[in-house]
Amino acid sequence: MSSESFENLSYEDRTFLPSQTFIDNANAKSDIYKEADTDRLAFWEKQANRLHWNQKWNQVVDWQLPFAKWFIGGKLNASYNCLDRHVIEGRGDRVAFYFEGEPGDTQTITYADLLSKVCKAANALKELGIKQGDRVAIYMPMIPEAAIAMLACARLGAMHSVVFGGFSADSLLSRIQDADASLVITADGGFRKGAPFALKPAVDEALKGETNVKNVLVVKRTGQETKFDTSKDIWWHELVDKQSGKHECEFFDSENGLFILYTSGTTAKPKGVYHTTGGYLTQAAFTHHAVFDLKTEKDIYWCTADIGWITGHSYVVYGPLINGATQLIYEGTPDTPSKGRLFELIEKYKVSILYTAPTLIRTWMKWGDEYPNKSNLSSLRLLGSVGEPINPEAWMWYREVIGKNNCPIVDTWWQTETGAIMISPLPGVTATKPGSAMKALPGISAEVVDDEGKAVGNGRGGYLVLTKPWPSMMRGVWNEPIRYKETYWSRFEGVYFAGDGAKLDKDGAIWLLGRVDDVMNVSGHRISTTEVESALVSHDVIAEAAVVGAKDEMTGQGIVAFVILRGGIESATGDALVKELRDHVAKQIGPIAKPRQIMVVAELPKTRSGKIMRRLLRDVAENRVVGDSTTLADPNVMKLISEGLKTGKSED
Ligand code: WTA
C-alpha cells in the first residue's frame, strides 16, 4: 500500500515570470505576504477599509469553530458600496456594464444609470413588501436586470437566491422551498444558440408546488408569448420603470445575510451555501483588486461566468462593482453565430482582463486556433482561470494562443463555500507554473495533509484543507447547521476540508488534483484523475480528456480514459492512436498510470457550470446503467457515448 494519500506523478519545470513593467505597476507587490503573515487580522481590517462603512466594527472576528463572524458591530450596505459611492465620488459617468445580447443588441450602462435602475428596482421590491431578511429567488438569463435584481435585494437587506437559468422547474422549486422565498424575479426568456428559450413556464411549473411566493416579477427580454396570471405575475417594466430613481438606503449589520447559493451536489439534496455581508464583500473586493490587478481607469474586465454561479456573484457583481470596474457581460453561447464570437467581443470592446473556465479553454483548443487568430486580441493583458484544474497544456495554449505570451495567467482556486479566491498567483509577483494555482493568497492559510491530517510536506500529495477562518467563508448551510459541520468540518479536526486533493511540488507550489471522490486506486496507488488527464492533454492530438477508475480484478481499479481529439490535426487513428496515447502517458508520468482502455468520444458529460461528471463515465466504464444525469448540461451526451461504445468504434 502506498503511504501517500495521492501519488505525485507529474513534474513541471517551466516557470513564467511577469514582465518587469507588470511587476512595477502591479496592485499587489511581493511584500504583501509578509504584511499579512505579521498580523493577519490587521491585514483583513485594512482590506475591510476598501468598503464604505456607515459604522465601524468593534471586533474583527469571532471564531466559534466552525462558525465565524467578521467585522462585528460594523454597518454597511452592499449596494451602496457597489454604486452610490462611485456616483458620490464623481465616477457616475464611468461605464459599469457593456452588455451584449446574443442577437447582437447592446446596452451601455454607467454607474449613475445602474444606481438609478437599482433604486427603481429596490423601490418596486419594497412596494411588493420585500424587507430585510426576506429571501428572493432570481431565475434569469445573463442580462443586466439579473445584476440589478441582486443589487436591489441587497439594498433592502433582503437575501437573493439566484438559481441558474438552465435549471429545471423541479430544481427551482426545491430551492424556492428550502429558502422559503416570497418573490421570484425572472424573465420571459433569454437567447441561447441563436434562438429564444423560455424561462417563465418553468417558474409557473415550479409554483404548482407548495411555496410562500406571493409575486413573480417578469422582465420582458425576448417578447415571446408568455402566460400571465395577473393575481401574482407582474411585468418588470410596468412596476419598476415608474418608480423613483432615488432610494435612501439603510445600513445593515456586517453579518446581515447577503445571499444563499445552492451547490448542486451530484447525489445529495443541494446545499444552501449561506453568505453574509461585511466579510464577503471585503474578500471579494480585495481579491478582485489583487488577483486581477484591476486599473479602474484603463481596464475592460470580462468574467464569462453566468450570474447563477458563485463566480458571477463575486467576480461579475460584487468584487468588480465595489472596485469601480468597467466590464463586459454577454448573454449567449460561445459558438453563436460562430465559434469566434467571444474573440470578436474581446476585439470589439478591447477587453484587457479575461476570466474564464478550463472547460471553455479546452473547447477552444478543440475547435482550433483559426478562430482566435481571426480577431485582434492584443488588448488582453491578464488571463484568469477557475472551476476545474487547468491542464498544463491547456494553460500553455491559453498563454500562447489567447495571451500571445504577453499576459500573466492566474489560476484561481476557490469554491461557492469559500466565497472568494483562496489560492492563486499574484500576477505581478508570482513566477507561475503551467497548471498550478501556486500559493494561498495573503491572509489565507491552506495546507495539504495526509489521511491522519498531518502536513505532507513538499513533493507529496494529500487533501487540501484551510486551517484558519477567512472573511468570505460561508456562514453555514441554510437551515442545516449539523450538515454544515459534518460536510466540511468533520473529516479532519479543527480545519475546513474542501473535498479536493492537492499536492505540493518540490518548491511548495500547490497543484489541485480534482475531487477526492474521483481518486483512482490502482494496485494500491492513489492516482488523481487530473494528473492522467493532463498527461493525455499534453499529447498534440488531444483537446480534452476525462479518466475514471473502473473495477479491475487484477489491480483493484483500472484507468479508463475518454478523450476528445483536437480540431484539424492529422493523427494516427484506431489501435495505433490508442497505443501511442498509452505509451505517452507511461512516458509522461509512469507506467502505473497507463490507461487500461482509451475511448475517443465527441463530447464529455458536464454539469451546467462545465465540470466533468466522472460518476456517469464510471457507470459506462463498468457497464452499468448510467445513473442520475439530470444535472447534465446536454442530456444527450451519455446516449452518444454509450452508443459510440456499443458499435465498438472507439474501443481499445
Ligand atoms: C474546483 C467555483 C482546480 C474544485 C469557484 C472546487 C478548481 C470546486 C479550481 C468548486 C482551480 C475551482 N483548480 N480546481 N483553479 N477552481 N475548482 O463551488 O474542485 O462551483 O472544490 O466554485 O471547483 O466549485 P464551485
Side-chain angles (χ1 to χ4, degrees):
M1 239 340 244
S2 156
S3 62
E4 285 192 43
S5 308
F6 272 87
E7 302 285 331
N8 170 14
L9 295 174
S10 64
Y11 177 74
E12 176 64 66
D13 58 3
R14 291 171 286 193
T15 57
F16 296 91
L17 261 174
S19 70
Q20 195 55 47
T21 335
F22 203 106
I23 296 175
D24 293 343
N25 296 308
N27 286 355
K29 308 266 199 252
S30 58
D31 54 2
I32 191 171
Y33 291 104
K34 187 152 168 263
E35 182 195 339
D37 281 349
T38 311
D39 190 341
R40 194 170 127 270
L41 295 186
F43 172 80
W44 283 121
E45 284 197 274
K46 180 168 158 192
Q47 303 313 328
N49 279 321
R50 295 178 178 280
L51 306 176
H52 168 89
W53 297 81
N54 198 47
Q55 182 179 308
K56 206 182 146 146
W57 57 92
N58 47 39
Q59 188 185 345
V60 189
V61 63
D62 173 40
W63 179 221
Q64 311 282 340
L65 194 138
F67 295 98
K69 293 186 179 139
W70 283 82
F71 309 115
I72 300 147
K75 285 194 189 299
L76 76 172
N77 184 295
S79 159
Y80 183 97
N81 270 284
C82 292
L83 305 169
D84 306 54
R85 211 172 41 140
H86 300 304
V87 176
I88 292 167
E89 291 168 14
R91 295 185 290 276
D93 291 340
R94 183 183 296 166
V95 174
F97 290 126
Y98 289 112
F99 167 71
E100 174 106 5
E102 197 188 75
D105 55 316
T106 61
Q107 290 178 47
T108 299
I109 303 173
T110 66
Y111 275 88
D113 297 336
L114 193 59
L115 172 61
S116 145
K117 286 172 191 284
V118 168
C119 287
K120 286 185 177 198
N123 285 325
L125 297 195
K126 211 167 124 196
E127 196 176 313
L128 296 176
I130 298 300
K131 55 183 189 318
Q132 179 189 6
D134 288 352
R135 275 82 56 205
V136 175
I138 298 178
Y139 185 65
M140 298 270 254
M142 191 60 187
I143 55 176
E145 285 83 353
I148 292 166
M150 289 166 74
L151 291 163
C153 292
R155 196 166 185 90
L156 298 176
M159 281 178 253
H160 49 75
S161 162
V162 183
V163 179
F164 174 60
F167 279 129
S168 65
D170 279 354
S171 313
L172 177 60
L173 173 62
S174 66
R175 288 157 170 80
I176 289 174
Q177 288 173 329
D178 189 77
D180 192 19
S182 54
L183 171 70
V184 179
I185 306 180
T186 187
D188 50 356
F191 292 97
R192 223 186 110 77
K193 290 198 182 291
F197 68 94
L199 280 172
K200 175 70 169 37
V203 177
D204 296 343
E205 184 59 34
L207 293 185
K208 287 184 186 156
E210 204 171 309
T211 73
N212 288 318
V213 171
K214 306 207 174 39
N215 292 108
V216 179
L217 188 55
V218 190
V219 174
K220 189 175 259 181
R221 166 64 183 142
T222 59
Q224 67 205 107
E225 191 156 323
T226 300
K227 230 174 81 197
F228 233 64
D229 167 359
T230 45
S231 71
K232 63 174 184 352
D233 297 344
I234 306 165
W235 284 113
W236 174 284
H237 58 267
E238 286 177 7
L239 181 70
V240 176
D241 291 359
K242 66 172 191 217
Q243 303 287 331
S244 152
K246 299 240 175 319
H247 174 269
E248 257 333 287
C249 71
E250 223 183 292
F251 295 91
F252 301 102
D253 199 88
S254 175
E255 284 297 327
N256 191 52
L258 184 60
F259 65 88
I260 303 169
L261 184 59
Y262 288 84
T263 58
S264 43
T266 41
T267 47
K269 168 172 168 263
K271 290 186 282 281
V273 174
Y274 172 51
H275 284 283
T276 59
T277 311
Y280 170 79
L281 295 181
T282 295
Q283 197 173 328
F286 162 66
T287 51
H288 183 262
H289 168 84
V291 174
F292 299 110
D293 193 53
L294 183 85
K295 305 289 190 274
T296 44
E297 307 285 332
K298 293 190 196 140
D299 280 312
I300 307 291
Y301 165 86
W302 187 15
C303 166
T304 64
D306 189 277
I307 239 151
W309 311 119
I310 190 69
T311 309
H313 283 52
S314 304
Y315 299 108
V316 177
V317 180
Y318 294 108
L321 292 178
I322 289 171
N323 291 338
T326 294
Q327 44 181 334
L328 171 61
I329 50 177
Y330 169 60
E331 175 185 35
T333 49
D335 53 354
T336 309
S338 90
K339 290 175 174 154
R341 181 72 186 266
L342 301 199
F343 309 118
E344 289 160 14
L345 290 175
I346 292 172
E347 174 172 339
K348 174 174 172 188
Y349 291 96
K350 301 199 168 42
V351 172
S352 56
I353 302 172
L354 177 69
Y355 190 30
T356 191
T359 178
L360 183 61
I361 298 167
R362 293 185 304 242
T363 301
W364 281 337
M365 280 172 81
K366 176 177 75 181
W367 288 344
D369 298 4
E370 71 257 37
Y371 298 101
N373 288 346
K374 265 188 247 166
S375 293
N376 179 353
L377 306 181
S378 64
S379 53
L380 289 170
R381 66 175 198 93
L382 178 75
L383 303 174
S385 169
V386 61
E388 280 184 297
I390 178 165
N391 321 106
E393 285 320 302
W395 193 102
M396 288 303 297
W397 184 90
Y398 198 25
R399 180 180 157 83
E400 285 163 5
V401 179
I402 306 300
K404 314 290 177 207
N405 292 314
N406 209 16
C407 305
I409 297 182
V410 287
D411 173 15
T412 62
W413 179 90
W414 58 295
Q415 306 178 300
T416 305
E417 292 87 341
T418 71
I421 299 173
M422 304 293 284
I423 302 176
S424 167
L426 286 177
V429 177
T430 316
T432 50
K433 303 184 185 192
S436 171
M438 300 305 297
K439 191 171 166 170
L441 286 180
I444 300 300
S445 309
E447 260 178 37
V448 180
V449 300
D450 65 14
D451 287 296
E452 269 79 58
K454 292 203 193 69
V456 293
N458 290 357
R460 319 202 53 178
Y463 306 95
L464 180 68
V465 297
L466 303 167
T467 58
K468 288 188 184 136
W470 61 99
S472 65
M473 67 193 282
M474 71 192 288
R475 298 303 195 253
V477 177
W478 186 248
N479 280 337
E480 297 184 283
I482 296 169
R483 189 171 178 204
Y484 170 60
K485 278 188 195 168
E486 280 171 358
T487 312
Y488 303 104
W489 299 90
S490 65
R491 176 69 181 80
F492 302 103
E493 201 177 324
V495 298
Y496 172 90
F497 175 46
D500 284 338
K503 70 175 191 186
L504 297 176
D505 69 13
K506 64 176 182 3
D507 307 317
I510 301 173
W511 295 74
L512 276 307
L513 296 178
R515 304 293 296 168
V516 295
D517 305 339
D518 291 332
V519 64
M520 305 174 289
N521 195 323
V522 183
S523 309
H525 296 274
R526 287 155 88 173
I527 297 175
S528 102
T529 52
T530 303
E531 291 206 306
V532 181
E533 286 162 7
S534 293
L536 286 163
V537 175
S538 75
H539 190 288
D540 290 347
V541 305
I542 304 298
E544 182 150 30
V547 309
V548 296
K551 276 198 197 71
D552 188 294
E553 277 177 21
M554 295 290 292
T555 57
Q557 281 191 320
I559 301 178
V560 178
F562 298 79
V563 298
I564 297 181
L565 303 181
R566 272 169 92 151
I569 287 189
E570 296 288 323
S571 75
T573 51
D575 291 351
L577 173 65
V578 168
K579 181 173 183 313
E580 196 177 311
L581 290 173
R582 296 182 71 220
D583 292 346
H584 179 74
V585 173
K587 195 162 135 251
Q588 292 288 308
I589 57 177
I592 184 74
K594 227 166 154 168
R596 175 183 86 186
Q597 208 178 353
I598 296 181
M599 324 203 219
V600 178
V601 293
E603 289 297 340
L604 291 169
K606 288 181 184 168
T607 63
R608 293 170 194 273
S609 66
K611 297 191 207 302
I612 297 170
M613 286 184 79
R614 292 181 186 75
R615 175 172 63 78
L616 300 179
L617 293 173
R618 243 175 346 248
D619 291 341
V620 174
E622 296 186 339
N623 294 317
R624 267 195 308 272
V625 178
V626 173
D628 180 12
S629 55
T630 46
T631 50
L632 274 182
D634 175 357
N636 291 318
V637 167
M638 288 318 296
K639 211 168 127 235
L640 287 175
I641 293 176
S642 304
E643 275 169 7
L645 300 185
K646 266 188 225 119
T647 61
K649 213 168 53 196
S650 47
E651 202 102 38
D652 184 359

